[in-house]
Amino acid sequence: MVIAGLPPVGITAKARGENWDVDSLMNGWHERWEKRESWTRTVIRDVREWTNRVYGEVVYYLTQFLSGHGENASYFHRFGKRPNPSCADCVNLDHPGHVVLECVRWHARRLVAEVEVGEHLTTETVVPIMLNTRKAGTPCKSW
């Protein structure tokens, strides 16, 4: 729901029942979000900043990256669809952020993106970079 920018039903119902304003709803959602442990929570740290963005369509591959439910070997391995969780390109563990942040096959493209935005891509920086490069008027051609 965070990726789509839609507050969970429980928070929405509580907000309506207690006549919360939008800020209170977002703060309540963010407090709940901070307690979660997931790949999505690792990359989207602030639900308020993410959902308040005014640009940036969430498309297929971005959704896979942000959710961790996509074309990575550890996800497929978990459901018995791959014999092991290793990356087919570099044999390291293929976890949700592996291709975007670590895989040697994509090193050159990652380096181009890092040079364009002037910052190293990590789990902590990738979403803030996505949000801030557009705000600064310098969209990254590599996205």
Side-chain angles (χ1 to χ4, degrees):
M1 299 305 288
V2 168
I3 295 170
L6 301 170
V9 169
I11 294 284
T12 303
K14 184 174 182 176
R16 286 185 181 166
E18 297 177 8
N19 293 320
W20 291 0
D21 61 17
V22 174
D23 286 339
S24 297
L25 169 71
M26 295 305 291
N27 288 333
W29 187 14
H30 182 72
E31 286 174 22
R32 180 176 165 181
W33 183 242
E34 285 185 313
K35 296 173 186 166
R36 293 198 39 118
E37 290 187 29
S38 69
W39 169 253
T40 305
R41 170 66 178 93
T42 300
V43 291
I44 300 177
R45 296 178 180 276
D46 190 328
V47 71
R48 297 165 300 199
E49 184 178 52
W50 175 257
T51 57
N52 287 329
R53 72 190 191 287
V54 293
Y55 57 84
E57 184 179 347
V58 181
V59 294
Y60 179 75
Y61 291 110
L62 180 57
T63 301
Q64 285 192 4
F65 171 73
L66 294 173
S67 69
H69 298 169
E71 298 179 24
N72 65 73
S74 41
Y75 181 74
F76 288 139
H77 178 70
R78 193 168 107 200
F79 296 104
K81 302 285 184 185
R82 290 277 306 263
N84 62 61
S86 299
C87 174
D89 295 315
C90 71
V91 303
N92 290 325
L93 177 66
D94 188 9
H95 59 82
H98 173 73
V99 169
V100 174
L101 304 172
E102 300 169 358
C103 186
V104 295
R105 176 179 180 189
W106 301 102
H107 176 75
R109 288 190 103 171
R110 186 169 42 257
L111 188 58
V112 168
E114 289 175 343
V115 168
E116 284 185 42
V117 299
E119 198 167 343
H120 182 62
L121 296 176
T122 67
T123 55
E124 294 83 17
T125 64
V126 69
V127 167
I129 288 170
M130 287 168 29
L131 297 174
N132 293 326
T133 54
R134 186 66 175 261
K135 286 179 194 169
T138 55
C140 180
K141 295 175 190 135
S142 302
W143 298 142

